[in-house]
Amino acid sequence: MAAGLGLCPCRALLGGRRGALRALVRPARGLAAAKETHFGFQTVSEEEKGEKVYQVFENVAKKYDIMNDSMSLGIHRLWKDILMHKMNPSPGTLLLDVAGGTGDIAFRFINYVRSIRERQLQRKLKHHQNLSWQEIADSYQEEAIKPLGDSQVVVCDINKEMLKVGRQKAQHLGYSEGLSWVVGNAEELPFDDNKFDVYTIAFGIRNVTHIDLALQEAYRVLKPGGRFLCLEFSQVNNPLLSRLYDLYSFQIIPVLGEIIAGDWKSYQYLVESIRRFPPQEEFKAMIEDAGFLKVDYQNLTSGIVAIHSGFKL
């Protein structure tokens, strides 16, 4: 999901040598479908949760960005900027942004890499004062043809409406180079093993039915040395702020949802889903269980959100 209050899961194919494992896993998942889980504060079947989460984001897609600005007072933009600076991608980075439907992380990635490429070109020209006019022109021509170098970002989201909004934004803002959109489920990503340099998921993993499977898939598709980054709502570590935050979340956000998006229930769910998400240390342990090393997290705004980071080593 990008934007602020969370995107949904993404879909996939596990290929090749994993076929036999998939055959063994499917019956188990069939049994798991009958299990119960939570949808906000409600208890529902796992299958029903997937359907309900999909419906939430289908309902809010067109007002998603406006609501994120309204609910967070625009602070979600700063959180995402911090995530990008923490990633610090270099030209040539291949990024998978899961649950990234409206494109907030993808667009920041493109802007960041473009900025680095421009600075590299300026340094190159500065340190080669004796270049001919033709050599200088060729350098700028190369930059114009490949402004991202070989960098690419793939936005993967299970919800077609969210991706539709993202594509419309990209067209309006002029993003096309190095950007692709894929419908997919975070629990079964449609990508080969060891493919991406960085995996991001911003405000989306709490909407996944099986977080452990999503983390395993993140590990699978990352290259050795690849990095996992998750920006998600977390547990506030200041008692006074926590009480104020609860008051704002439960009394104000659903009202904003009704006024701006005409949808009280979806935003009630989003608020409740935040409270059901594991606190920082527990989520850190889940990431480590998936195989990631050097796992840590950074609290932002007193723990209202946290950025978790881990590496596939």
Side-chain angles (χ1 to χ4, degrees), residues 79-112:
W79 295 332
K80 291 168 188 170
D81 288 342
I82 294 172
L83 175 69
M84 193 54 54
H85 282 85
K86 193 174 184 70
M87 183 195 305
N88 190 26
S90 58
T93 297
L94 182 56
L95 168 65
L96 173 63
D97 182 35
V98 175
T102 60
D104 271 13
I105 302 301
F107 303 152
R108 280 170 169 78
F109 172 80
I110 291 172
N111 291 341
Y112 197 97

Side-chain angles (χ1 to χ4, degrees), residues 215-267:
L215 292 172
Q216 291 167 23
E217 280 292 272
Y219 188 88
R220 180 183 68 81
V221 301
L222 280 170
K223 298 175 183 177
R227 189 175 192 183
F228 168 86
L229 286 165
C230 175
L231 173 64
E232 187 54 88
F233 289 99
S234 201
Q235 190 171 84
V236 178
N237 52 31
N238 179 301
L240 176 59
L241 179 59
S242 179
R243 288 194 291 272
L244 293 174
Y245 179 52
D246 282 345
L247 180 64
Y248 176 76
S249 296
F250 287 99
Q251 301 300 321
I252 304 299
I253 287 179
V255 175
L256 287 174
E258 180 66 30
I259 293 172
I260 296 173
D263 191 339
W264 178 295
K265 289 185 178 179
S266 291
Y267 287 93

Side-chain angles (χ1 to χ4, degrees), residues 1-2 7-11 54 57-62 64-65 96-104 106-107 153-171 175 179-185 190-191:
M1 325 267 68
L7 289 182
C8 307
C10 286
R11 173 168 300 173
Y54 190 95
F57 289 98
E58 188 172 60
N59 291 345
V60 305
K62 292 180 180 179
Y64 188 74
D65 290 334
L96 173 63
D97 182 35
V98 175
T102 60
D104 271 13
F107 303 152
V153 53
V154 178
V155 180
C156 179
D157 199 289
I158 200 170
N159 195 288
K160 294 179 181 179
E161 281 300 310
M162 295 293 285
L163 288 173
K164 179 180 177 181
V165 172
R167 287 193 186 98
Q168 291 171 344
K169 283 175 61 181
Q171 184 176 17
Y175 294 104
L179 175 63
S180 56
W181 309 82
V182 176
V183 176
N185 183 338
F191 307 108

Side-chain angles (χ1 to χ4, degrees), residues 28-48:
R29 286 194 182 170
L31 293 174
K35 292 182 179 178
E36 291 185 334
T37 186
H38 59 81
F39 175 76
F41 292 161
Q42 299 178 43
T43 299
V44 298
S45 70
E46 291 181 347
E47 182 179 0
E48 188 180 5

Side-chain angles (χ1 to χ4, degrees), residues 24-221:
L24 293 172
V25 169
R26 274 177 178 165
R29 286 194 182 170
L31 293 174
K35 292 182 179 178
E36 291 185 334
T37 186
H38 59 81
F39 175 76
F41 292 161
Q42 299 178 43
T43 299
V44 298
S45 70
E46 291 181 347
E47 182 179 0
E48 188 180 5
K49 176 174 179 174
E51 295 170 354
K52 282 179 172 290
V53 169
Y54 190 95
Q55 189 63 52
V56 163
F57 289 98
E58 188 172 60
N59 291 345
V60 305
K62 292 180 180 179
K63 297 289 187 179
Y64 188 74
D65 290 334
I66 295 174
M67 278 300 299
N68 283 334
D69 281 332
S70 300
M71 290 184 293
S72 73
L73 305 178
I75 298 174
H76 76 97
R77 297 173 181 268
L78 176 61
W79 295 332
K80 291 168 188 170
D81 288 342
I82 294 172
L83 175 69
M84 193 54 54
H85 282 85
K86 193 174 184 70
M87 183 195 305
N88 190 26
S90 58
T93 297
L94 182 56
L95 168 65
L96 173 63
D97 182 35
V98 175
T102 60
D104 271 13
I105 302 301
F107 303 152
R108 280 170 169 78
F109 172 80
I110 291 172
N111 291 341
Y112 197 97
V113 173
R114 280 179 179 171
S115 176
I116 291 176
R117 289 271 293 174
E118 289 170 2
R119 290 199 300 270
Q120 288 178 341
L121 177 59
Q122 292 299 324
R123 284 198 299 268
K124 175 182 175 182
L125 297 177
K126 183 177 180 180
H127 288 102
H128 294 82
Q129 297 289 342
N130 58 344
L131 289 178
S132 68
W133 174 86
Q134 186 60 50
E135 289 171 323
I136 294 173
D138 288 345
S139 294
Y140 278 105
Q141 180 68 18
E142 180 184 355
E143 175 67 18
I145 294 173
K146 298 184 71 175
L148 297 178
D150 294 319
S151 297
Q152 294 183 48
V153 53
V154 178
V155 180
C156 179
D157 199 289
I158 200 170
N159 195 288
K160 294 179 181 179
E161 281 300 310
M162 295 293 285
L163 288 173
K164 179 180 177 181
V165 172
R167 287 193 186 98
Q168 291 171 344
K169 283 175 61 181
Q171 184 176 17
H172 176 71
L173 296 171
Y175 294 104
S176 60
E177 180 75 21
L179 175 63
S180 56
W181 309 82
V182 176
V183 176
N185 183 338
E187 297 180 21
E188 293 184 277
L189 293 169
F191 307 108
D192 293 336
D193 297 359
N194 306 316
K195 183 176 179 64
F196 296 95
D197 299 300
V198 183
Y199 171 113
T200 54
I201 182 165
F203 302 113
I205 201 163
R206 74 178 187 282
N207 298 304
V208 176
T209 302
H210 304 99
I211 294 175
D212 57 339
L213 293 182
L215 292 172
Q216 291 167 23
E217 280 292 272
Y219 188 88
R220 180 183 68 81
V221 301

